[in-house]
Amino acid sequence: MTRTTTRLRTVLGVVVIALAATATAWVRLGPVSRGTGWAEDTGLFFREHLALGPLGSLFHPYAGYLHLVPRLVVDAAFALPIDRYALTVSLVCCALVGVVCAALFVLARDVVRPWPLRLVLAAVPVLLPSAPWEVTGNAANLHTFALVLSPWLFAYRARTRWGAALAAVAAVLVTCTEIQAVLFLPLLVVAWLPLRQAGRVRLLALPVTLAALAGGAAQVVTALTTERTSTPGDPSLVDVVAGYLFTVVGGIWSADVGAVGRAVVADGWVVLVVPTVLLLAVLVVATICARWRGRVLLVALPVGSAVVWGAAMVANASADAAWSSADPAVLTGATPSRYAAAAGLLLTSAVVVAAATLVDPGRRAARQPSDPVRLDRTGGPARAVRAGTGWLVVALVVTAWVGAAAPGPTTRDGGPEWQPQFRDARAACRADPDRRTVLVRTAPWSARVPCTLVLRDG
């Protein structure tokens, strides 16, 4: 097989993954949700596009941060008829999540070698049980998926100039969309470590390094110079841990967080502590077995997951529910948290990497008598046990995803859908030539749409 044929097959496979992931994200939303405008998409981003223009709004801070990709999505949606705005935003956002899935498949090849397990890793962003609830299919929460991509992007070692250029562009988009991506900037060191052609690898690592550092610096400067109006939380360490167990660990297995709450109320926190301890054991053993690059990710992903959740509770009072002492009604009535989504995606990614490492830890030269004692990675009963454990973990993850391709509960299930309102909107604008805007209801707010836009495409 020629090199060109191999590359074409690889590109085709990546495109298929992106399309399949896009379709999965789209289907999981359901028709009402994907046709309903959400929060900032039809609120602040919408208004600032009108007030500042497509270019002027791109790097305009909001809530203390830059939101480059969401604003690009809004700009793209304005290019189509305005009555299809909500559908366009949903479709573009699902497509971008599909691109993230395909990127994970490519970027993880040095760490997750078996392609079937890498395919499981690539599916994490669209098959997390709670993803449709709030983070999928809207621009306001695209930063969640940017964060999940960032550790893989920064640690990736490009082989070609095209790969280095694409990684640099992606780094700008990621860092200028999600400020917490700066947590993973130390992983850029991995991109500089040598392959077979050391000098070339170091040169190819330069674009992504400069892009990531520049984007991260822009976010930090914006955060330091822009007021953030959200009310901060004041959690105790126990509340942070309890909230992580409940919303993050519980949320990676079931979208029905209320069912997790009912189990906690009935049997105590042990129903979450025991599986978490087992999960930690799997991560620790996999880290010991992994090659050094795998070890870096197996530490960075779960630690990043915990830090992201803790930061969310400290920065947002709405995430700080005093989880350790919450009333039973709060636990049984809980719904998925957008703050837990990023932490859950990072944790699930770590679990899949751990399982892949146990199944295939990679080749290693035979141990010399003078070498320190290590776990046997070449064969024998211990190897079989580790591989069996890895496949069991994969089976548990996939089992949690069973039925996830069907539409799940979302914050937009009740509408109101955007497009059906434009029949009355056009009539109102035509009836009164002096009328400047019409009110279009969204979830959970509403949008003032200029009559010039309403009548432009009608």
Side-chain angles (χ1 to χ4, degrees), residues 16-300:
V16 169
I17 291 171
L19 292 175
T22 299
T24 301
W26 179 259
V27 169
R28 291 193 71 196
L29 283 178
V32 174
S33 294
R34 55 187 179 237
T36 300
W38 176 247
E40 287 87 354
D41 299 6
T42 48
L44 183 129
F45 295 155
F46 187 93
R47 294 194 304 271
E48 291 191 345
H49 172 96
L50 293 173
L52 303 174
L55 294 179
S57 62
L58 282 182
F59 291 95
H60 192 71
Y62 162 56
Y65 314 126
L66 299 176
H67 303 262
L68 178 58
V69 173
R71 292 188 184 275
L72 287 171
V73 170
V74 169
D75 290 347
F78 266 90
L80 295 178
I82 198 64
D83 64 339
R84 300 174 192 171
Y85 177 83
L87 280 171
T88 302
V89 169
S90 294
L91 179 58
V92 174
C93 290
C94 288
L96 288 173
V97 176
V99 170
V100 168
C101 293
L104 287 175
F105 184 82
V106 174
L107 298 174
R109 65 179 179 176
D110 288 337
V111 176
V112 182
R113 302 192 326 152
W115 71 263
L117 297 178
R118 201 158 12 114
L119 197 59
V120 175
L121 176 68
V124 170
V126 290
L127 289 179
L128 182 77
S130 61
W133 177 256
E134 188 169 349
V135 300
T136 302
N138 63 81
N141 288 289
L142 275 175
H143 62 91
T144 298
F145 301 101
L147 181 61
V148 172
L149 181 63
S150 61
W152 297 100
L153 179 63
F154 299 157
Y156 178 66
R157 299 173 304 157
R159 269 76 164 176
T160 66
R161 290 188 180 92
W162 278 108
L166 289 174
V169 172
V172 171
L173 296 174
V174 165
T175 54
C176 290
T177 297
E178 173 53 79
I179 188 172
Q180 292 181 106
V182 300
L183 297 172
F184 295 109
L185 286 178
L187 293 178
L188 287 167
V189 173
V190 178
W192 285 86
L193 296 176
L195 283 170
R196 293 178 182 177
Q197 297 174 316
R200 188 178 183 188
V201 170
R202 291 195 174 97
L203 180 63
L204 292 177
L206 184 61
V208 69
T209 301
L210 294 177
L213 292 177
Q219 281 284 23
V220 171
V221 170
T222 301
L224 293 175
T225 59
T226 306
E227 182 181 1
R228 190 172 188 271
T229 58
S230 298
T231 304
D234 185 25
S236 66
L237 179 59
V238 175
D239 285 332
V240 172
V241 173
Y244 188 86
L245 294 176
F246 184 75
T247 63
V248 179
V249 177
I252 68 174
W253 303 115
S254 174
D256 188 357
V257 183
V260 176
R262 290 190 291 274
V264 171
V265 171
D267 301 312
W269 287 92
V270 68
V271 298
L272 291 173
V273 171
V274 171
T276 301
V277 170
L278 294 176
L279 186 61
L280 284 174
V282 169
L283 291 171
V284 170
V285 172
T287 302
I288 295 172
C289 294
R291 295 174 294 173
W292 69 267
R293 295 181 185 91
R295 289 179 181 176
V296 171
L297 271 300
L298 281 170
V299 172

Side-chain angles (χ1 to χ4, degrees), residues 295-309:
R295 289 179 181 176
V296 171
L297 271 300
L298 281 170
V299 172
L301 291 170
V303 170
S305 172
V307 171
V308 164
W309 169 251

Side-chain angles (χ1 to χ4, degrees), residues 405-424:
T410 80
T411 53
R412 293 179 278 169
D413 284 343
E417 293 183 78
W418 177 271
Q419 190 168 10
Q421 300 179 65
F422 275 79
R423 180 177 179 178
D424 292 339

